[in-house]
Amino acid sequence: MDNVIGLFDQSLRAEGYRRKGRRWFVEKDEFRVAFYVLKSRFGAEYFVDIELTLHGSQDVDVSTRVDYWTGDVGLSFRADDPLLQTKISDFIEQQAMPLVRRLNADLLRSSEGAKILRIAYVSKKAYGFFEFEG
């Protein structure tokens, strides 16, 4: 396991997330929230997607880069960064966990939620569930 994945694993498991491959997930009332760590094809840089899967769905219903939802556009992690552990820890504590704590169907049905969903892939099922019009 490479260093970046190991550091995400350590931080997210400490927050109660379960892991499957490069995805860490937690169940919420209406859906499962997952963080998916992707490695760039062009080097040692990693990006993080956030995915929502409605209960009963087999596929991801909402997906985008987490930095689009947290306002830190361009956020990435480099395997060779000497401050990598601190950056991942800060990301989990200051951005990812506050976002997940706020996420629920009511938020995503609000005007703020509509803004969030407009910058994501949204399945047909999720359009109906969140009463969202793209």
Side-chain angles (χ1 to χ4, degrees), residues 13 18 29 50 52 57 69 76-77 83 86 94 118 123:
R13 283 184 189 255
R18 295 187 321 219
D29 289 339
I50 186 166
L52 308 180
S57 287
W69 282 13
S76 66
F77 303 92
L83 300 174
T86 300
Q94 296 170 13
R118 280 192 184 92
S123 72

Side-chain angles (χ1 to χ4, degrees), residues 45-48 64-78 87 91 95:
E45 194 168 17
Y46 291 78
F47 302 93
V48 182
T64 192
R65 290 263 166 90
V66 73
D67 50 321
Y68 295 160
W69 282 13
T70 62
D72 193 7
V73 177
L75 177 70
S76 66
F77 303 92
R78 293 197 53 83
K87 287 182 178 179
F91 164 73
Q95 295 182 39

Side-chain angles (χ1 to χ4, degrees), residues 61-122:
D61 290 295
V62 177
S63 175
T64 192
R65 290 263 166 90
V66 73
D67 50 321
Y68 295 160
W69 282 13
T70 62
D72 193 7
V73 177
L75 177 70
S76 66
F77 303 92
R78 293 197 53 83
D80 57 358
D81 186 338
L83 300 174
L84 179 64
Q85 183 171 3
T86 300
K87 287 182 178 179
I88 290 174
S89 179
D90 287 351
F91 164 73
I92 300 292
E93 182 181 313
Q94 296 170 13
Q95 295 182 39
M97 292 306 103
L99 172 64
V100 172
R101 282 193 282 279
R102 293 181 48 228
L103 279 178
N104 61 41
D106 289 338
L107 171 69
L108 292 170
R109 288 181 179 125
S110 72
S111 59
E112 178 185 359
K115 289 177 188 174
I116 289 172
L117 291 173
R118 280 192 184 92
I119 55 177
Y121 158 79
V122 180

Side-chain angles (χ1 to χ4, degrees), residues 4-50:
V4 173
I5 300 301
L7 291 170
F8 269 98
D9 191 53
Q10 179 183 359
S11 293
L12 287 168
R13 283 184 189 255
E15 293 289 338
Y17 281 67
R18 295 187 321 219
R19 178 179 176 199
K20 186 171 186 179
R22 290 181 177 221
R23 280 184 176 82
W24 290 264
F25 59 92
V26 66
E27 299 292 336
K28 305 264 303 177
D29 289 339
E30 302 93 349
F31 45 79
R32 170 183 289 168
V33 177
F35 291 106
Y36 180 44
V37 178
L38 302 109
K39 186 174 191 282
S40 171
R41 294 179 296 175
F42 305 107
E45 194 168 17
Y46 291 78
F47 302 93
V48 182
D49 278 2
I50 186 166

